[in-house]
Amino acid sequence: MSSPTKQSQTKGQVLDLIERLDVGEAIPSERQLSTDLGVSRLTVRAALDDLVREGFLVRRRGMNPASRTLSLEIVPAGARLGRLLHVSPSEPIMVAKRVRLADRETMAIETLHVRSALVPDLTAADLERGSFYELLRERYGVSIAGGVQTIEPTVTNEEESSALGVPLHSPAFMFERFSRDENGGTVEFVRSIYRGDRYRLVTDLSSRGELGPGGMSWVPREDGVRIG
C-alpha cells in the first residue's frame, strides 16, 4: 500500500480541525495552516480545494463569523446537569448563552455548560474573541479529544425565535454535544439551535452505501455561511 501524500495528510489534519471548531467559525488562514502543519501554502491550498469540492468547506469572500454573549452566570449543577456532566448537583456550573453570527446575521443560539472550576475568571468578552476550544487549550491547558453529538429536527420556541429573528415555531436543527478531554472526562455540554433555513446536511457514503470516513457534515444553503 502506498504511503499517504503530504496533500492527503494535510487534508486529514484540516478535517480534524474543522470537527473541533464551533459552527460558523472560520478556519485559520492558509499562511497560518502552513506554519502550524509544517507544509507549503500550495499544499494547504490544494487540500482546502479538495475539502471545498467534497462539501466540507465553502469559501465566501467577506464573511465575518462572530458570536455575541447574551448571558453568563454561575449556577449549581442540579440533578439534570449533574448527571449530564458527571458532577455533584452542588457543583458550580458556568452557563453561557450566546448567538452565532455570520455577516452580522444571527445563525444559531447556543447554550454552553462547563464546570466553573475548569474555567476560572472566564468572561463574556473571552468567549467573543475566538474559539472556546482554543481558549480552553491555551489558557486552561484542557484539550478536547473527542465527544458525542446528536442532531434532530425541532421548531423554535419564543426565546429562540426572538434571538434568531424568525417566526415562532420555525423549522430548526437542535444539536446536543458532549465533549471529553484526553483523560476521558466530560468537559462540556452544549445545546444549540440552528436556523433550518440556513443549513443542510451532507452525508459522505462509500460505494457500498455505508458511511465513509468523512461521515456527516454541515454545509450552508446558497445564502448561508460555511461550517464544517
Side-chain angles (χ1 to χ4, degrees):
M1 181 180 296
S2 60
S3 59
T5 64
K6 282 189 177 181
Q7 181 177 326
S8 65
Q9 289 178 325
T10 301
K11 176 181 170 183
Q13 289 173 303
V14 175
L15 191 56
D16 288 341
L17 170 65
I18 291 171
E19 292 172 350
R20 296 196 301 269
L21 292 177
D22 293 331
V23 173
E25 188 175 350
I27 65 172
S29 66
E30 289 183 1
R31 178 177 297 178
Q32 186 63 49
L33 287 171
S34 173
T35 300
D36 292 345
L37 302 179
V39 296
S40 71
R41 290 184 66 177
L42 288 177
T43 298
V44 170
R45 187 170 303 152
L48 296 182
D49 287 342
D50 281 349
L51 291 170
V52 169
R53 282 192 293 269
E54 294 172 11
F56 292 102
L57 293 174
V58 172
R59 286 192 175 102
R60 279 194 63 193
R61 294 186 181 276
M63 190 193 76
N64 183 27
S67 67
R68 184 176 72 249
T69 304
L70 302 178
S71 64
L72 190 153
E73 58 182 343
I74 307 297
V75 301
R80 180 173 179 272
L81 277 178
R83 184 174 67 255
L84 294 174
L85 294 173
H86 302 108
V87 297
S88 163
S90 61
E91 178 81 18
I93 302 296
M94 187 213 70
V95 181
K97 186 167 293 186
R98 54 183 181 163
V99 291
R100 311 294 297 181
L101 307 168
D103 295 338
R104 300 183 180 180
E105 182 177 7
T106 303
M107 309 300 287
I109 181 169
E110 172 185 284
T111 306
L112 165 68
H113 310 80
V114 60
R115 287 188 297 114
S116 177
L118 201 63
V119 288
D121 303 319
L122 183 70
T123 67
D126 292 331
L127 292 174
E128 294 174 4
R129 291 193 184 102
S131 167
F132 175 59
Y133 288 170
E134 184 177 323
L135 184 68
L136 276 177
R137 183 178 64 253
E138 295 184 354
R139 180 186 295 182
Y140 300 111
V142 177
S143 296
I144 299 297
V148 176
Q149 182 164 266
T150 61
I151 308 168
E152 63 181 88
T154 187
V155 294
T156 56
N157 60 26
E158 290 187 9
E159 179 187 13
E160 293 159 353
S161 299
S162 176
L164 295 174
V166 297
L168 181 65
H169 298 154
S170 291
F173 294 102
M174 181 176 71
F175 275 48
E176 289 191 338
R177 182 175 72 245
F178 297 89
S179 300
R180 62 179 182 273
D181 61 22
E182 295 170 320
N183 297 317
T186 301
V187 174
E188 62 166 3
F189 167 62
V190 183
R191 183 182 185 274
S192 306
I193 300 294
Y194 294 98
R195 289 177 56 165
D197 62 341
R198 285 292 183 264
Y199 301 104
R200 62 189 173 96
L201 287 169
V202 174
T203 304
D204 179 20
L205 298 175
S206 72
S207 60
R208 294 192 295 268
E210 300 171 344
L211 278 176
M216 185 164 60
S217 65
W218 286 83
V219 297
R221 296 183 185 277
E222 292 181 358
D223 53 351
V225 299
R226 177 209 64 77
I227 68 174

